[in-house]
Amino acid sequence: MIIVKRIGKHLGAEISGVDLSKPLSDDAFAQIASAFFDNEVAFFRNQKITPEQQVAFTRRFGVLEQHVRKEARLEGFPEILIISNLLDDQGRAIGSQDAGRFWHSDLSYKKEPSMLSALYSIEVPEKDGRVYGDTGFASTTAAYDALPADMKQRIAGLRNVHSYRYYRTRNRAAQEQEKARGGRVVQEPELSEEQLRSVPDVETPLVRTHPVTARKGLFVNEAHTSHITGLPSAESAALLGELYRHITQPEFQYVHSWRPGDLLMWDNAAAQHKATFDYDLPMRRLMYRTTVRGSAPF
Ligand code: SIN
């Protein structure tokens, strides 16, 4: 029997009674999909799945994306993005080392941003019985609902630009600051112009309506939103800052503490997330991410 247990106040649920390494009936899949959309973040513990099984399960939700960062994809599985702090024997990153440095929803810089992401944890950093590398999730629908009426009115109809180039620039600046503090930064290979051209900036509504639940949510994030269209830049930055502070209040968050064997899915049209970088080698973190394409926000 499939059991769904709500964990967070506004988002987050554990689904038990499912073995993702076994074929799932249409009925079981429908129950999982409904729990996912109701809870915005849903996870299964103690799963033992192969990359093929992760791909097959998440593909049931829709078309899988292949990340623009080719070097961080799992060999033989272009739909899997490796998220890890591990290095190969030549000291090169084996995957994305700093995914989730800023609050964001996945691939929000695409015309059809990701609907669902699924992260399967293989190795989780741990020291002296304490687990590191949590992921925080914030409900953008609960955050929208809680806005005062005058703010809802102010932002209605506004549009914002999501930009992968903007993200790269921000990320590089953060890496420089990290280096200056004496932190370990593994340089990622530069993206070619062709790769960058494949992810042009997109303009989307700042308030979007969820394509499945019809709930309204804030579709701006500090990683990818470069500005709000049509506002003077200081006003745009001030309004964005206000919205980011609002969305990421603890009230709207669920923070996931990982165990090896977790398969956790989040709804990018209803939640944002951020990784916690409170660990370093020799503590090891290895996760595989699949991402399902969504529809253009409206
Ligand atoms: C991500 O942003 O997709 C990864 C989050 C994490 O590694 O905790």
Side-chain angles (χ1 to χ4, degrees):
M1 191 175 57
I2 297 181
I3 297 169
V4 181
K5 184 173 154 210
R6 181 63 167 252
I7 311 276
K9 179 172 172 199
H10 292 291
L11 75 174
E14 178 172 358
I15 305 179
S16 51
V18 178
D19 179 348
L20 295 173
S21 70
K22 303 258 160 59
L24 277 180
S25 67
D26 287 345
D27 177 55
F29 179 73
Q31 287 182 56
I32 291 168
S34 141
F36 168 71
F37 288 116
D38 285 350
N39 292 287
E40 303 182 351
V41 171
F43 61 90
F44 311 85
R45 297 276 195 199
N46 302 315
Q47 301 296 317
K48 264 203 163 81
I49 53 170
T50 61
E52 284 94 339
Q53 288 163 340
Q54 179 171 352
V55 167
F57 170 64
T58 41
R59 188 169 272 150
R60 288 183 76 163
F61 286 92
V63 176
L64 294 185
E65 294 284 359
Q66 300 190 1
H67 202 274
V68 62
R69 289 189 53 195
K70 290 192 177 127
E71 82 289 347
R73 298 177 188 164
L74 180 65
E75 207 181 328
F77 297 91
E79 307 87 352
I80 290 185
L81 179 74
I82 303 175
I83 293 183
S84 182
N85 68 334
L86 303 182
L87 306 175
D88 67 13
D89 48 15
Q90 306 204 30
R92 289 175 307 211
I94 65 157
S96 171
Q97 292 254 333
D98 54 11
R101 189 196 287 277
F102 310 107
W103 284 99
H104 69 290
S105 55
D106 289 332
L107 314 190
S108 75
Y109 48 82
K110 291 200 141 192
K111 237 162 77 189
E112 294 174 324
S114 161
M115 174 186 76
L116 170 154
S117 298
L119 198 55
Y120 177 56
S121 64
I122 299 162
E123 293 187 74
V124 175
E126 195 184 328
K127 198 169 155 197
D128 302 329
R130 199 193 134 190
V131 170
Y132 295 81
D134 293 354
T135 308
F137 295 90
S139 172
T140 52
T141 55
Y144 175 79
D145 289 347
L147 284 174
D150 58 344
M151 178 58 103
K152 283 185 178 158
Q153 207 171 4
R154 181 174 171 202
I155 61 177
L158 289 181
R159 298 177 68 79
N160 71 131
V161 173
H162 293 243
S163 165
Y164 192 66
R165 283 179 197 260
Y166 170 80
Y167 162 71
R168 298 282 295 186
T169 307
R170 262 209 93 175
N171 202 38
R172 214 163 300 124
Q175 285 175 338
E176 290 311 319
Q177 282 170 7
E178 186 61 39
K179 271 195 226 160
R181 282 196 297 267
R184 187 180 69 91
V185 173
V186 181
Q187 213 54 51
E188 298 165 0
E190 282 302 320
L191 291 189
S192 66
E193 259 313 302
E194 190 195 341
Q195 278 173 300
L196 285 172
R197 266 201 306 273
S198 73
V199 279
D201 294 358
V202 294
E203 195 190 67
T204 72
L206 192 151
V207 177
R208 74 179 286 187
T209 303
H210 194 284
V212 175
T213 65
R215 287 186 74 181
K216 283 188 174 173
L218 292 165
F219 199 62
V220 283
N221 70 70
E222 62 172 19
H224 304 143
T225 297
S226 56
H227 62 283
I228 298 174
T229 311
L231 294 190
S233 71
E235 192 182 336
S236 162
L239 179 54
L240 287 171
E242 196 175 335
L243 293 173
Y244 298 153
R245 282 190 297 280
H246 175 71
I247 294 168
T248 58
Q249 290 176 90
E251 153 86 5
F252 304 122
Q253 285 192 41
Y254 161 69
V255 178
H256 189 72
S257 176
W258 293 91
R259 296 182 201 159
D262 287 351
L263 186 289
L264 180 145
M265 312 181 289
W266 61 85
D267 182 344
N268 286 296
Q272 300 188 356
H273 58 286
K274 183 176 190 291
T276 312
F277 293 95
D278 57 356
Y279 58 91
D280 201 353
L281 293 170
M283 284 193 269
R284 298 164 60 92
R285 193 173 190 266
L286 176 62
M287 309 211 170
Y288 288 170
R289 191 181 91 188
T290 40
T291 307
V292 178
R293 182 174 307 159
S295 48
F298 57 88

